[in-house]
Structures are given as structure tokens and as C-alpha cells.
Amino acid sequence: MGALANQPFVKMNGIGNEIVVVDLRKGAPAIAPEEARAAASPQGAPYDQLMALYPPRTPGTDAYIRIYNNDGSEAGACGNGMRCVASIVSGENGKSALTFETEAGILNCWKAEGGLFTVDMGPPRFKWNEIPLAEEFRDTRAIELQIGPIDKPVLHSPSVVNMGNPHAIFWVDDVNAYDLERFGPLLENHPIFPERANITLAHIVDRTHIVIRTWERGAGLTRACGSAACAAAVAAARFKRTERTVRVTLPGGDLTIEWRERDDHVLMTGPVAFEFNGTFNPNLFEKAPAP
């Protein structure tokens, strides 16, 4: 039957980023792509990302987390989801600081003022083969990529950065002036991105404020993508168009992003919201084979 049948889950969101958390720390197999897709169906608990907690693999960590997109693929990082997980685990064990292991590495989370949580997303990566790109670009602040007519492209010259996931940020004057639902899938799957990419439209309001919209790799148009907010903040600071601490406004709300100078780490601070508890109906997974 797989890993999710009859499993309790918690439905949450991080500024509109729809998150489902399932606790598999008592032992369960990996979640098959078919199971992840079934769990995200209207009969299950529709989500952008599913955060699956497994027993710690590394001493000193609170859990090992695998992150699934609603298309069944796995993500390396999900900042909004990490805040949701931190909120749950902190409520269980009373700790104000937590450490989790993900495919993107070890992530530290802690309580901030006003009921917010901060996630240390680690350092950004800028080299073309770290993002990764299919060909070499020495300067990833702006790469040769466009969509639309050659002489009048609709979008062009994105900044690219890896924040646990590959990101491409297109700088625009109005993030709502483009049909991201149309262009997003084309750019996500462009051959220049061998592992696909998150596609973000970003507008720099001033030196401390950025507005973004994101088409999320494996999840589609989203109200919030924490790693995209981090990527946009870092990319803007690389151009020296913003400070290293900015407010990033997404359709679902605001995040505070700090690109810390002393160690190059990117800190994301924002709220979490509980929605409801549920249990996955085993009938959802009758056609979803175990891995």
C-alpha cells in the first residue's frame, strides 16, 4: 500500500505556500512519485509541497526531511515548508532552535519574534555547473536566455542562482503584466536547465523591497516560494541594486530575507499558519505502487 495510506497529516501554509507535513519518524518506506501525486489530488490534501519527516540520519539533527512537489518529483529545499516543520517539531519538544537534514544539506531553524520562524537556507551557489546549467556562463548575474521574438523578447537575460533548487529570476517593471502560467512551464523545462528550474518575475521597488511571482518547478504557479524569495534577494544584491536585507512581497504575503555577510548564509524569516489535521484515505493509493 506504500508509505502514506492511513497516515495522519497536518495541513499548513507559509504565506500561502500550501504545505502538508507527514510524520514518518516511526519508520516508513520512501514515498513513491505516484503516491505523492495521489496525495495532492482533490480527494487527498492538495498541496504545493509535502514535507515527509524521517528518523535523523545525522547525529544532532531533529529529523531527516524529504520534500515532494505535487507532481511527484522531489525538491532539495522548501523554505516555507521548513518553517511549518519547525513550528510542529518545536511545539512537540519545546526547543526554540532546531536542525534538520534535507537533500540540500543541513538546515537550522529557530523561533523569531512575533511568532515567526527563521530558516538558515545556507549559502547561494552561482557557478553555472552548480545551478546547474547545460552550458557554461562565466557571469550568472545575467545569462543569454529569452522567450518571444528575437528582436522584441517578452522576457530575457535572467539571473540564475541555486538556493537548494535551481532558480531563474527575470527582472521586470510589473510582475503581474506577464502570463506566468503560460511562460512558466516553457521556461521551467527549457534545455538550458537540465534539472528544470523555478521561474520568478521580480520587480525591485527600492533598495529594501522586492516584489515577486513564481512558477515553481514541479508545483506550478504558487502564492509563495521561499527559496525563490531568497534567490531574488541574493540576485538583486549581486547587482548592488538592493541592500543585503530586504522585504520580499509575494502574492501570499511578505518574507524578510537577509544575505548575511559574515558567512554568506541566506536567512529567511516569516509566518506559518495551521489549517487542519487529517488522515490519508488508503483508497487514494490503491493504484500507487510502493517504491
Side-chain angles (χ1 to χ4, degrees):
M1 188 65 72
L4 294 179
N6 292 312
Q7 283 287 352
F9 65 83
V10 182
K11 177 66 172 60
M12 305 182 73
N13 79 77
I15 63 168
N17 194 175
E18 300 297 338
I19 303 295
V20 165
V21 181
V22 60
D23 188 350
L24 304 177
R25 285 176 290 180
K26 292 183 179 179
I31 298 169
E34 295 84 357
E35 284 185 281
R37 289 194 292 269
S41 69
Q43 296 74 33
Y47 63 79
D48 295 322
Q49 276 78 38
L50 183 149
M51 314 291 289
L53 280 65
Y54 289 92
R57 300 192 309 182
T58 301
T61 59
D62 292 281
Y64 168 59
I65 300 175
R66 296 183 71 165
I67 305 168
Y68 297 85
N69 298 312
N70 60 26
D71 71 349
S73 63
E74 287 197 55
C78 176
N80 289 316
M82 292 304 304
R83 293 201 315 278
C84 292
V85 169
S87 175
I88 291 173
V89 177
S90 175
E92 290 175 356
N93 61 23
K95 294 167 63 175
S96 59
L98 304 137
T99 303
F100 300 105
E101 182 179 3
T102 72
E103 288 303 301
I106 303 294
L107 297 180
N108 295 309
C109 309
W110 58 89
K111 283 184 178 180
E113 293 182 4
L116 306 180
F117 279 83
T118 297
V119 181
D120 182 342
M121 299 288 288
R125 289 177 284 172
F126 302 122
K127 293 180 180 178
W128 71 274
N129 56 348
E130 294 177 333
I131 289 166
L133 302 175
E135 60 184 86
E136 181 176 359
F137 287 89
R138 291 187 178 180
D139 187 352
T140 54
R141 290 178 298 177
I143 67 168
E144 295 176 16
L145 174 63
Q146 67 180 43
I147 191 164
I150 293 177
D151 58 342
K152 196 175 182 181
V154 178
L155 295 168
H156 64 91
S157 308
S159 300
V160 289
V161 57
N162 187 301
M163 277 303 322
N165 301 316
H167 288 270
I169 302 99
F170 290 86
W171 305 105
V172 298
D173 292 329
D174 181 356
V175 300
N176 294 308
Y178 299 83
D179 188 354
L180 189 54
E181 202 159 8
R182 175 188 170 196
F183 295 127
L186 299 174
L187 290 163
E188 173 194 354
N189 295 284
H190 193 282
I192 195 67
F193 303 118
E195 296 180 8
R196 300 187 293 166
N198 295 268
I199 306 301
T200 292
L201 305 179
H203 168 61
I204 297 175
V205 179
D206 57 42
R207 292 193 61 80
T208 61
H209 186 201
I210 303 172
V211 176
I212 71 171
R213 288 176 67 219
T214 298
W215 174 271
E216 196 164 7
R217 178 185 69 164
L221 200 61
T222 181
R223 288 181 56 76
C225 177
S227 60
C230 295
V234 165
R238 287 186 82 196
F239 278 123
K240 302 189 184 304
R241 295 181 63 191
T242 62
E243 306 298 334
R244 293 178 72 101
T245 298
V246 294
R247 173 168 62 99
V248 180
T249 297
L250 306 93
D254 288 356
L255 295 171
T256 299
I257 309 298
E258 177 190 358
W259 185 13
R260 197 163 57 190
E261 196 160 9
R262 64 179 171 83
D263 62 2
D264 207 34
H265 283 218
V266 180
L267 309 183
M268 177 187 60
T269 301
V272 300
F274 169 83
E275 294 186 11
F276 60 87
N277 291 305
T279 300
F280 285 119
N281 189 325
N283 294 335
L284 280 171
F285 311 106
E286 287 182 350
K287 295 182 181 180

